[in-house]
Amino acid sequence: MHERTVVSSDDIDRVVQRIAHELLERNRSAADLVLLGIPTRGVPLAERVAAALEQVDGVRPPTGSLDVTMYRDDLRHHPTRGLAVTGVPVDVTDRVVVLVDDVLFSGRTIRAALDAVADLGRPRAVRLVVLVDRGHRELPIRADHVGRNLPTAADEKVAVRLRETDGSDGVDILRPLRPTGTAVPGAGA
């Protein structure tokens, strides 16, 4: 694999600050929000956004994690894994729920998250925050707040690193190595 860093630690810090300001522009106060991170890296991102909201608004919204494992439509294609602890700190009914994830790709994880939120209550609204939108959607889902749009090839991988889980911050694009002289599909003549 060939690795290229496309988002730095400083970039991530700026994105978190910008997203906090955008959330406050769309809502009266951070007190109206409930931030739910999707494990693994969505959880520390949600905590960072909550801290940034507190710096700006003086109010830290309730923040938790939302395990979507049992709501996924591809369970039969993946080996069984343990459930993450779902920590939703308050009733979501009549609140603005902000789902936070690291990468938006096909949209299937977010569809599962929407099903999980519906089982928790009836929020006034649900917003989606993602650090990276890489395209290739399979479902009609879009993020309300995007840190960075990174168009990628289908065979590339986007690797998000966060200091809470990985020891450092950054976003890398991983490209498979292609033998010399091998045509890239869709490259044209």
Side-chain angles (χ1 to χ4, degrees):
M1 289 280 204
H2 172 69
E3 182 176 314
R4 180 173 59 111
T5 299
V6 292
V7 179
S8 72
S9 177
D10 289 341
D11 293 335
I12 291 174
D13 291 341
R14 280 190 292 276
V15 161
V16 167
Q17 291 297 319
R18 177 174 47 82
I19 287 172
H21 285 277
E22 288 176 4
L23 284 168
L24 287 173
E25 287 174 7
R26 290 188 70 176
N27 298 281
R28 293 178 295 245
S29 165
D32 294 334
L33 306 175
V34 177
L35 276 63
L36 298 178
I38 298 172
T40 298
R41 288 170 185 81
V43 176
L45 283 171
E47 290 291 342
R48 290 185 191 192
V49 172
L53 286 165
E54 185 177 24
Q55 285 179 337
V56 176
D57 194 44
V59 176
R60 186 181 186 101
T63 307
S65 64
L66 183 67
D67 181 16
V68 301
T69 303
M70 297 311 294
Y71 293 89
R72 293 193 56 93
D73 61 2
D74 59 356
L75 278 177
R76 67 178 179 266
H77 299 294
H78 295 287
T80 304
R81 60 182 183 205
L83 292 176
V85 175
T86 298
V88 180
V90 295
D91 183 7
V92 300
T93 302
D94 265 345
R95 304 287 293 262
V96 176
V97 172
V98 180
L99 297 173
V100 183
D101 205 3
D102 58 347
V103 178
L104 179 56
F105 183 39
S106 67
R108 293 189 180 277
T109 298
I110 303 308
R111 188 223 34 95
L114 291 168
D115 288 347
V117 167
D119 278 354
L120 294 172
R122 184 164 185 198
R124 184 174 52 217
V126 179
R127 308 265 185 261
L128 176 59
V129 167
V130 295
L131 181 61
V132 174
D133 183 344
R134 64 170 292 194
H136 303 284
R137 214 76 74 243
E138 296 173 7
L139 299 171
I141 290 177
R142 67 170 178 79
D144 298 287
H145 307 280
V146 177
R148 185 73 66 89
N149 286 296
L150 292 176
T152 59
D155 64 345
E156 293 175 326
K157 298 205 179 306
V158 173
V160 173
R161 290 177 281 109
L162 296 177
R163 63 182 165 268
E164 295 89 344
T165 56
D166 308 295
S168 65
D169 285 347
V171 178
D172 303 320
I173 293 181
L174 308 172
R175 292 191 174 110
L177 295 176
R178 293 183 178 92
T180 307
T182 303
V184 177

